[in-house]
Amino acid sequence: MGGRASGPPPLSGQIGRIWRALGSLFVLLVFVPPLLLLVSGSLTEPGLPPSPTPQLIPDPVSTAGYRQALAVGGVLRAALNSLLVAVVAVPLSVLVAALAGFALARLAPRRAALVVMASLVALMVPATALLVPRFAIFRVLGLTDTLVPLIAPALLGTSPLYVLVYYLAFRALPRDLYDACLVEDMTPMGIWWRVALPMVRPVTAAITALTFVFTWSNFLDPLIYVYDRDLFTLPLALRSLSVLDPTNFPVFLAGAVLATGPAVLVFGLAQRRFFHHDDQTGRNRP
């Protein structure tokens, strides 16, 4: 007699969830204490000498550091500039990387191997080696002192690594799935959008989080291309805070909290997507 087996997920799936939970616990133990000290330091009264020992709850608690960071350091305007860059660059980068990875997965094996090798070579090129030619190109185009050079890398998927990750994800999908789509007379774009992309949602969540953090914390590119203070991004605003008054650490820490919060939120949402996908996989497994 044949039939579909039912019951709890295999032991390997349970072990995988345990390891992921342990990994999350390790990350919490490593990163949460510094974040708590960061928040605690930002709530210290500006102008007071630093405490000789770390204090989880400062005495007195003050939000003056946040007010000074927003007023003096221009953190609010810088945050809006960083948000504008991220809102445009992150979806565009994920879209380009997903399209390129899908196209690479559908190539013949030999051609795909050549493209993968070229991508690995591109990953080995130091980013600093490209600063001068990139600056020359943007200067000739008249795009320096604008936010365009900060968004332009998204047109190439930001990094070849993201394309390779999508390539491996799309390649891992069953070949019969693609054959069934061709039988249904679906176009390549339809296969990518309606079938392949929804099946690699955890990869999309990971790439989105990594791209956002890279874009949000990018310091070198704004330092090279942006000169107008009204166009400063958050990393440049934090640098300005440290230069203006290096001894008034609560103001600088307040700006650091405002800059760190969105990145932590994005990583939390991405982690939730991982566990949600894992739970769905466990429930749907026969």
Tab-separated table of all heavy atoms in Angstrom, residues 63-106:
chain	number	residue	atom	x	y	z
A	63	THR	N	17.985	63.259	27.943
A	63	THR	CA	17.872	63.138	26.483
A	63	THR	C	18.459	64.351	25.775
A	63	THR	O	18.222	64.551	24.585
A	63	THR	CB	16.401	62.980	26.076
A	63	THR	OG1	15.647	64.116	26.553
A	63	THR	CG2	15.811	61.712	26.667
A	64	ALA	N	19.236	65.145	26.519
A	64	ALA	CA	19.831	66.339	25.917
A	64	ALA	C	20.798	65.974	24.802
A	64	ALA	O	20.970	66.739	23.850
A	64	ALA	CB	20.541	67.167	26.989
A	65	GLY	N	21.453	64.816	24.916
A	65	GLY	CA	22.376	64.404	23.866
A	65	GLY	C	21.683	64.224	22.534
A	65	GLY	O	22.218	64.594	21.486
A	66	TYR	N	20.467	63.690	22.547
A	66	TYR	CA	19.714	63.507	21.305
A	66	TYR	C	19.303	64.857	20.733
A	66	TYR	O	19.363	65.066	19.507
A	66	TYR	CB	18.486	62.638	21.566
A	66	TYR	CG	18.819	61.191	21.836
A	66	TYR	CD1	19.040	60.744	23.140
A	66	TYR	CD2	18.912	60.270	20.799
A	66	TYR	CE1	19.343	59.419	23.387
A	66	TYR	CE2	19.213	58.940	21.053
A	66	TYR	CZ	19.430	58.522	22.342
A	66	TYR	OH	19.736	57.212	22.593
A	67	ARG	N	18.888	65.767	21.588
A	67	ARG	CA	18.486	67.086	21.088
A	67	ARG	C	19.671	67.819	20.470
A	67	ARG	O	19.537	68.453	19.416
A	67	ARG	CB	17.879	67.907	22.229
A	67	ARG	CG	16.552	67.361	22.753
A	67	ARG	CD	15.841	68.383	23.624
A	67	ARG	NE	16.619	68.699	24.826
A	67	ARG	CZ	16.501	68.046	25.974
A	67	ARG	NH1	15.650	67.031	26.075
A	67	ARG	NH2	17.207	68.400	27.026
A	68	GLN	N	20.829	67.731	21.102
A	68	GLN	CA	22.003	68.398	20.550
A	68	GLN	C	22.477	67.723	19.264
A	68	GLN	O	22.928	68.401	18.334
A	68	GLN	CB	23.123	68.407	21.582
A	68	GLN	CG	22.836	69.266	22.810
A	68	GLN	CD	24.028	69.343	23.744
A	68	GLN	OE1	25.163	69.166	23.333
A	68	GLN	NE2	23.755	69.613	25.022
A	69	ALA	N	22.373	66.408	19.201
A	69	ALA	CA	22.781	65.706	17.983
A	69	ALA	C	21.898	66.097	16.800
A	69	ALA	O	22.383	66.274	15.674
A	69	ALA	CB	22.728	64.198	18.203
A	70	LEU	N	20.595	66.254	17.056
A	70	LEU	CA	19.683	66.647	15.986
A	70	LEU	C	19.855	68.100	15.601
A	70	LEU	O	19.745	68.469	14.418
A	70	LEU	CB	18.233	66.395	16.412
A	70	LEU	CG	17.836	64.923	16.613
A	70	LEU	CD1	16.423	64.833	17.185
A	70	LEU	CD2	17.929	64.160	15.310
A	71	ALA	N	20.155	68.959	16.581
A	71	ALA	CA	20.251	70.394	16.309
A	71	ALA	C	21.621	70.788	15.786
A	71	ALA	O	21.741	71.488	14.776
A	71	ALA	CB	19.928	71.190	17.579
A	72	VAL	N	22.684	70.338	16.463
A	72	VAL	CA	24.036	70.775	16.118
A	72	VAL	C	24.647	69.922	15.014
A	72	VAL	O	25.263	70.437	14.079
A	72	VAL	CB	24.937	70.754	17.377
A	72	VAL	CG1	26.353	71.201	17.028
A	72	VAL	CG2	24.350	71.652	18.462
A	73	GLY	N	24.476	68.618	15.125
A	73	GLY	CA	25.136	67.726	14.173
A	73	GLY	C	24.406	67.524	12.869
A	73	GLY	O	24.950	66.902	11.954
A	74	GLY	N	23.184	68.021	12.748
A	74	GLY	CA	22.438	67.814	11.506
A	74	GLY	C	22.107	66.353	11.259
A	74	GLY	O	22.054	65.910	10.113
A	75	VAL	N	21.876	65.592	12.337
A	75	VAL	CA	21.627	64.163	12.194
A	75	VAL	C	20.307	63.894	11.481
A	75	VAL	O	20.202	62.943	10.694
A	75	VAL	CB	21.655	63.485	13.584
A	75	VAL	CG1	21.224	62.031	13.491
A	75	VAL	CG2	23.040	63.578	14.191
A	76	LEU	N	19.298	64.715	11.731
A	76	LEU	CA	18.002	64.487	11.103
A	76	LEU	C	18.086	64.627	9.587
A	76	LEU	O	17.599	63.780	8.842
A	76	LEU	CB	16.965	65.453	11.677
A	76	LEU	CG	15.543	65.309	11.116
A	76	LEU	CD1	15.016	63.902	11.370
A	76	LEU	CD2	14.617	66.348	11.735
A	77	ARG	N	18.712	65.699	9.113
A	77	ARG	CA	18.856	65.879	7.665
A	77	ARG	C	19.711	64.768	7.067
A	77	ARG	O	19.413	64.239	5.991
A	77	ARG	CB	19.490	67.245	7.368
A	77	ARG	CG	19.692	67.512	5.872
A	77	ARG	CD	20.403	68.837	5.660
A	77	ARG	NE	19.560	69.951	6.053
A	77	ARG	CZ	18.679	70.533	5.249
A	77	ARG	NH1	18.535	70.106	4.003
A	77	ARG	NH2	17.950	71.546	5.675
A	78	ALA	N	20.780	64.399	7.779
A	78	ALA	CA	21.635	63.313	7.287
A	78	ALA	C	20.879	61.993	7.241
A	78	ALA	O	21.067	61.193	6.318
A	78	ALA	CB	22.873	63.197	8.169
A	79	ALA	N	20.015	61.755	8.234
A	79	ALA	CA	19.221	60.524	8.236
A	79	ALA	C	18.258	60.498	7.050
A	79	ALA	O	18.051	59.440	6.438
A	79	ALA	CB	18.457	60.409	9.545
A	80	LEU	N	17.681	61.640	6.717
A	80	LEU	CA	16.785	61.692	5.561
A	80	LEU	C	17.550	61.422	4.264
A	80	LEU	O	17.049	60.733	3.370
A	80	LEU	CB	16.096	63.060	5.495
A	80	LEU	CG	15.094	63.361	6.623
A	80	LEU	CD1	14.537	64.771	6.486
A	80	LEU	CD2	13.962	62.339	6.627
A	81	ASN	N	18.774	61.956	4.167
A	81	ASN	CA	19.594	61.681	2.981
A	81	ASN	C	19.953	60.201	2.895
A	81	ASN	O	19.877	59.595	1.811
A	81	ASN	CB	20.864	62.530	3.018
A	81	ASN	CG	20.588	64.012	2.853
A	81	ASN	OD1	19.596	64.399	2.226
A	81	ASN	ND2	21.435	64.838	3.406
A	82	SER	N	20.350	59.609	4.021
A	82	SER	CA	20.671	58.185	4.021
A	82	SER	C	19.440	57.346	3.683
A	82	SER	O	19.534	56.343	2.961
A	82	SER	CB	21.221	57.771	5.388
A	82	SER	OG	22.478	58.364	5.635
A	83	LEU	N	18.288	57.761	4.202
A	83	LEU	CA	17.052	57.030	3.911
A	83	LEU	C	16.703	57.119	2.432
A	83	LEU	O	16.272	56.129	1.821
A	83	LEU	CB	15.914	57.578	4.763
A	83	LEU	CG	14.563	56.880	4.624
A	83	LEU	CD1	14.675	55.418	5.057
A	83	LEU	CD2	13.498	57.593	5.446
A	84	LEU	N	16.899	58.296	1.835
A	84	LEU	CA	16.626	58.451	0.407
A	84	LEU	C	17.518	57.536	-0.417
A	84	LEU	O	17.055	56.867	-1.357
A	84	LEU	CB	16.843	59.913	0.010
A	84	LEU	CG	16.730	60.234	-1.487
A	84	LEU	CD1	15.324	59.919	-1.994
A	84	LEU	CD2	17.068	61.701	-1.754
A	85	VAL	N	18.800	57.497	-0.072
A	85	VAL	CA	19.726	56.623	-0.798
A	85	VAL	C	19.326	55.161	-0.631
A	85	VAL	O	19.309	54.390	-1.594
A	85	VAL	CB	21.170	56.858	-0.323
A	85	VAL	CG1	22.119	55.841	-0.954
A	85	VAL	CG2	21.624	58.266	-0.664
A	86	ALA	N	18.974	54.765	0.598
A	86	ALA	CA	18.628	53.367	0.854
A	86	ALA	C	17.327	52.974	0.164
A	86	ALA	O	17.220	51.862	-0.375
A	86	ALA	CB	18.524	53.130	2.360
A	87	VAL	N	16.341	53.869	0.168
A	87	VAL	CA	15.039	53.551	-0.443
A	87	VAL	C	15.188	53.302	-1.938
A	87	VAL	O	14.488	52.460	-2.519
A	87	VAL	CB	14.034	54.687	-0.162
A	87	VAL	CG1	12.810	54.566	-1.052
A	87	VAL	CG2	13.610	54.667	1.300
A	88	VAL	N	16.111	54.012	-2.578
A	88	VAL	CA	16.318	53.824	-4.018
A	88	VAL	C	17.297	52.687	-4.291
A	88	VAL	O	17.065	51.834	-5.167
A	88	VAL	CB	16.826	55.133	-4.662
A	88	VAL	CG1	17.100	54.921	-6.149
A	88	VAL	CG2	15.816	56.248	-4.461
A	89	ALA	N	18.395	52.645	-3.549
A	89	ALA	CA	19.479	51.719	-3.875
A	89	ALA	C	19.165	50.283	-3.478
A	89	ALA	O	19.508	49.354	-4.215
A	89	ALA	CB	20.767	52.174	-3.195
A	90	VAL	N	18.537	50.072	-2.332
A	90	VAL	CA	18.337	48.692	-1.846
A	90	VAL	C	17.392	47.908	-2.755
A	90	VAL	O	17.740	46.813	-3.218
A	90	VAL	CB	17.848	48.711	-0.391
A	90	VAL	CG1	17.467	47.306	0.059
A	90	VAL	CG2	18.930	49.278	0.520
A	91	PRO	N	16.165	48.390	-3.065
A	91	PRO	CA	15.312	47.600	-3.974
A	91	PRO	C	15.932	47.428	-5.355
A	91	PRO	O	15.814	46.352	-5.955
A	91	PRO	CB	14.015	48.424	-4.039
A	91	PRO	CG	14.034	49.286	-2.835
A	91	PRO	CD	15.467	49.602	-2.587
A	92	LEU	N	16.596	48.475	-5.860
A	92	LEU	CA	17.209	48.369	-7.175
A	92	LEU	C	18.328	47.335	-7.173
A	92	LEU	O	18.461	46.542	-8.118
A	92	LEU	CB	17.750	49.735	-7.597
A	92	LEU	CG	18.394	49.832	-8.980
A	92	LEU	CD1	17.384	49.460	-10.062
A	92	LEU	CD2	18.925	51.237	-9.224
A	93	SER	N	19.126	47.326	-6.122
A	93	SER	CA	20.218	46.358	-6.033
A	93	SER	C	19.687	44.929	-5.948
A	93	SER	O	20.204	44.022	-6.622
A	93	SER	CB	21.087	46.675	-4.813
A	93	SER	OG	22.127	45.733	-4.682
A	94	VAL	N	18.671	44.709	-5.116
A	94	VAL	CA	18.092	43.371	-4.992
A	94	VAL	C	17.474	42.927	-6.317
A	94	VAL	O	17.623	41.762	-6.735
A	94	VAL	CB	17.045	43.351	-3.861
A	94	VAL	CG1	16.317	42.009	-3.819
A	94	VAL	CG2	17.711	43.628	-2.519
A	95	LEU	N	16.804	43.841	-7.001
A	95	LEU	CA	16.182	43.514	-8.284
A	95	LEU	C	17.232	43.109	-9.319
A	95	LEU	O	17.087	42.082	-10.011
A	95	LEU	CB	15.379	44.711	-8.781
A	95	LEU	CG	14.652	44.541	-10.123
A	95	LEU	CD1	13.563	43.494	-9.994
A	95	LEU	CD2	14.067	45.873	-10.586
A	96	VAL	N	18.302	43.888	-9.430
A	96	VAL	CA	19.350	43.595	-10.411
A	96	VAL	C	20.055	42.290	-10.062
A	96	VAL	O	20.323	41.447	-10.937
A	96	VAL	CB	20.354	44.764	-10.484
A	96	VAL	CG1	21.550	44.386	-11.355
A	96	VAL	CG2	19.675	46.010	-11.033
A	97	ALA	N	20.378	42.096	-8.775
A	97	ALA	CA	21.067	40.869	-8.375
A	97	ALA	C	20.197	39.636	-8.620
A	97	ALA	O	20.695	38.591	-9.064
A	97	ALA	CB	21.459	40.956	-6.902
A	98	ALA	N	18.893	39.739	-8.342
A	98	ALA	CA	17.997	38.607	-8.556
A	98	ALA	C	17.872	38.279	-10.039
A	98	ALA	O	17.887	37.105	-10.438
A	98	ALA	CB	16.627	38.891	-7.954
A	99	LEU	N	17.747	39.307	-10.866
A	99	LEU	CA	17.656	39.074	-12.311
A	99	LEU	C	18.939	38.458	-12.856
A	99	LEU	O	18.906	37.506	-13.644
A	99	LEU	CB	17.342	40.386	-13.029
A	99	LEU	CG	15.894	40.879	-12.968
A	99	LEU	CD1	15.790	42.289	-13.517
A	99	LEU	CD2	14.978	39.936	-13.738
A	100	ALA	N	20.077	39.008	-12.435
A	100	ALA	CA	21.350	38.484	-12.924
A	100	ALA	C	21.584	37.057	-12.435
A	100	ALA	O	22.072	36.205	-13.189
A	100	ALA	CB	22.493	39.397	-12.464
A	101	GLY	N	21.249	36.786	-11.171
A	101	GLY	CA	21.420	35.432	-10.662
A	101	GLY	C	20.528	34.428	-11.364
A	101	GLY	O	20.952	33.303	-11.652
A	102	PHE	N	19.297	34.831	-11.682
A	102	PHE	CA	18.388	33.927	-12.394
A	102	PHE	C	18.883	33.673	-13.816
A	102	PHE	O	18.865	32.528	-14.297
A	102	PHE	CB	16.985	34.522	-12.421
A	102	PHE	CG	15.977	33.681	-13.141
A	102	PHE	CD1	15.460	32.541	-12.547
A	102	PHE	CD2	15.547	34.022	-14.408
A	102	PHE	CE1	14.528	31.747	-13.209
A	102	PHE	CE2	14.617	33.237	-15.081
A	102	PHE	CZ	14.104	32.095	-14.485
A	103	ALA	N	19.326	34.734	-14.485
A	103	ALA	CA	19.852	34.558	-15.838
A	103	ALA	C	21.088	33.661	-15.828
A	103	ALA	O	21.268	32.821	-16.717
A	103	ALA	CB	20.189	35.923	-16.436
A	104	LEU	N	21.936	33.827	-14.817
A	104	LEU	CA	23.138	32.998	-14.719
A	104	LEU	C	22.786	31.534	-14.465
A	104	LEU	O	23.441	30.623	-14.996
A	104	LEU	CB	24.021	33.540	-13.600
A	104	LEU	CG	25.409	32.926	-13.434
A	104	LEU	CD1	26.216	33.083	-14.713
A	104	LEU	CD2	26.140	33.601	-12.283
A	105	ALA	N	21.746	31.303	-13.676
A	105	ALA	CA	21.327	29.929	-13.394
A	105	ALA	C	20.733	29.240	-14.611
A	105	ALA	O	20.746	28.003	-14.692
A	105	ALA	CB	20.312	29.921	-12.250
A	106	ARG	N	20.231	30.008	-15.563
A	106	ARG	CA	19.624	29.429	-16.759
A	106	ARG	C	20.605	29.308	-17.911
A	106	ARG	O	20.251	28.804	-18.976
A	106	ARG	CB	18.420	30.278	-17.200
A	106	ARG	CG	17.336	30.447	-16.146
A	106	ARG	CD	16.851	29.113	-15.631
A	106	ARG	NE	16.211	28.328	-16.686
A	106	ARG	CZ	16.084	27.013	-16.668
A	106	ARG	NH1	16.586	26.330	-15.659
A	106	ARG	NH2	15.480	26.387	-17.651
